[in-house]
């Protein structure tokens, strides 16, 4: 199994774990990622997700050139269940890569070591991003004479400024974590070896909040970022007002008055 997937209370941990292949994304792990995202969406007890690497020196080396690329480019016919899944026409491959982010709960990416091409593109679909001081990011496709098509041409100019995005894509060079923190791509940079702990600490703080509120904030951000002000404000009310009238909201206010931690049921009524 190339994916470590476990649940700890309200937090789901999704870990890339292909040591021999440096966490390259092959058909099996992409299919497993998609299944994990779907399971997380269906599990009402999960409130936040941490995506990380089980390997100390690398987050992800990108798409597997030996297995995934031949199937995606139709160089050979699929032979396994995962290869047939990868070859299907549909949105599932992009969904596995969080393009667009199909997870209805916040996704925190915890990045260490090298984060290359497809791995870099996948964390662009996360909602929050932490990296260790040793993290290095690269979109190297242009140096190979190809154009990236895993979402970076769309994501990066919207997350960063267009000129910063073009610098990453056109130079195909290494970008240090501290640089991406200064450019606004990362939430924080932490000492090497501590990024997963930092991500889990952040996840715990999020998970302690009202689940309907958290999901509403995520939904509002994603749905309104391309809207004009008037339409976006209206959508904010449509998403937010039912949460104001929810059981979660009543419990939160009651707990505030009683000076205790809230026990959010995660329900509207």
């Amino acid at each position: 199994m190339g994916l470590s997937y476990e649940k700890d209370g309200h937090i789901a941990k999704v870990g890339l774990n292909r040591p021999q292949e440096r966490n390259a994304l092959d058909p099996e792990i992409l299919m497993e990622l998609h299944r994990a995202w779907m399971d997380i969406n269906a599990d009402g007890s999960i409130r936040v997700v941490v995506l990380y690497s089980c390997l100390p020196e690398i987050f992800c080396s990108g798409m597997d050139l030996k297995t995934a690329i031949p199937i995606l480019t139709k160089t050979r016919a699929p032979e396994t269940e995962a290869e047939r899944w990868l070859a299907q026409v549909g949105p599932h491959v992009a969904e596995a890569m969080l393009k667009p982010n199909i997870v209805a709960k916040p996704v925190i990416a915890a990045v260490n070591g090298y984060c290359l091409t497809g791995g870099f593109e996948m964390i662009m679909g996360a909602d929050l991003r932490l990296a260790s001081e040793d993290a290095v990011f690269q979109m190297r496709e242009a140096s190979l004479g190809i154009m990236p098509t895993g979402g970076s041409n769309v994501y990066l100019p919207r997350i960063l400024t267009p000129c910063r995005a073009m610098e990453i894509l056109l130079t195909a060079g290494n970008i240090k974590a501290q640089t991406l923190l200064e450019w606004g791509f990362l939430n924080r940079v932490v000492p090497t070896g501590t990024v997963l702990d930092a991500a889990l600490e952040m996840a715990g703080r999020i998970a302690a909040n009202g689940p309907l509120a958290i999901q509403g904030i995520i939904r509002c951000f994603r749905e309104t970022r391309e809207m004009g002000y008037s339409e976006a404000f209206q959508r904010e009310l449509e998403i937010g007002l039912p949460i104001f009238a929810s059981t979660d909201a009543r419990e939160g206010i009651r707990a505030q008055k009683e000076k205790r931690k809230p026990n959010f049921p995660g329900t509207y009524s």
Side-chain angles (χ1 to χ4, degrees):
M1 299 289 286
L3 195 72
S4 174
Y5 176 41
E6 57 183 314
K7 301 174 183 179
D8 183 8
H10 296 305
I11 301 172
K13 296 167 61 180
V14 179
L16 306 179
N17 191 18
R18 300 188 71 213
Q20 299 301 318
E21 297 81 10
R22 296 168 59 82
N23 282 348
L25 301 172
D26 70 339
E28 282 74 17
I29 199 171
L30 288 168
M31 184 172 68
E32 290 174 19
L33 278 166
H34 192 265
R35 289 174 175 174
W37 304 142
M38 295 298 100
D39 183 70
I40 288 165
N41 275 348
D43 189 339
S45 70
I46 297 301
R47 299 180 181 178
V48 60
V49 187
V50 174
L51 173 64
Y52 69 103
S53 168
C54 297
L55 309 183
E57 76 284 356
I58 191 163
F59 178 79
C60 178
S61 59
M63 200 69 72
D64 194 313
L65 299 178
K66 296 180 180 179
T67 58
I69 295 300
I71 299 301
L72 291 172
T73 58
K74 302 186 185 303
T75 303
R76 66 171 176 83
E79 299 174 357
T80 67
E81 177 192 2
E83 288 181 352
R84 287 188 288 272
W85 174 88
L86 189 65
Q88 293 173 8
V89 177
H92 52 285
V93 178
E95 290 173 350
M97 298 278 290
L98 296 176
K99 185 191 80 171
N101 193 323
I102 59 165
V103 185
K105 291 89 183 268
V107 176
I108 304 173
V111 182
N112 62 284
Y114 284 96
C115 181
L116 310 177
T117 58
F120 193 178
E121 288 182 305
M122 181 160 57
I123 68 164
M124 294 174 195
D127 301 290
L128 299 163
R129 291 172 286 270
L130 282 66
S132 61
E133 291 173 336
D134 70 332
V136 176
F137 302 78
Q138 185 190 68
M139 290 302 302
R140 60 185 174 188
E141 281 87 344
S143 69
L144 302 174
I146 57 178
M147 174 182 163
T149 56
S152 56
N153 295 281
V154 178
Y155 269 134
L156 281 180
R158 301 183 187 201
I159 298 172
L160 306 174
T161 62
C163 62
R164 295 300 192 193
M166 289 299 99
E167 182 174 345
I168 292 172
L169 293 169
L170 295 176
T171 65
N174 290 344
I175 309 292
K176 294 182 179 180
Q178 187 60 38
T179 298
L180 286 185
L181 176 67
E182 295 168 0
W183 289 359
F185 182 81
L186 296 173
N187 290 84
R188 65 183 68 163
V189 174
V190 299
T192 299
T194 67
V195 68
L196 179 56
D197 289 338
L200 289 173
E201 188 274 335
M202 180 181 285
R205 292 172 60 188
I206 293 172
N209 296 328
L212 295 182
I214 294 303
Q215 292 174 39
I217 291 168
I218 289 294
R219 183 181 173 191
C220 186
F221 167 71
R222 295 175 186 166
E223 292 185 14
T224 64
R225 54 186 161 185
E226 299 304 317
M227 293 180 180
Y229 276 114
S230 179
E231 185 182 7
F233 287 143
Q234 180 60 37
R235 189 67 187 125
E236 180 185 45
L237 291 175
E238 293 169 354
I239 295 171
L241 288 182
I243 297 173
F244 265 89
S246 70
T247 307
D248 271 13
R250 291 191 290 275
E251 166 59 14
I253 298 300
R254 187 182 303 114
Q256 176 83 1
K257 291 179 178 179
E258 297 173 1
K259 298 182 179 180
R260 60 173 174 82
K261 292 183 178 180
N263 182 21
F264 294 111
T267 58
Y268 282 93
S269 59

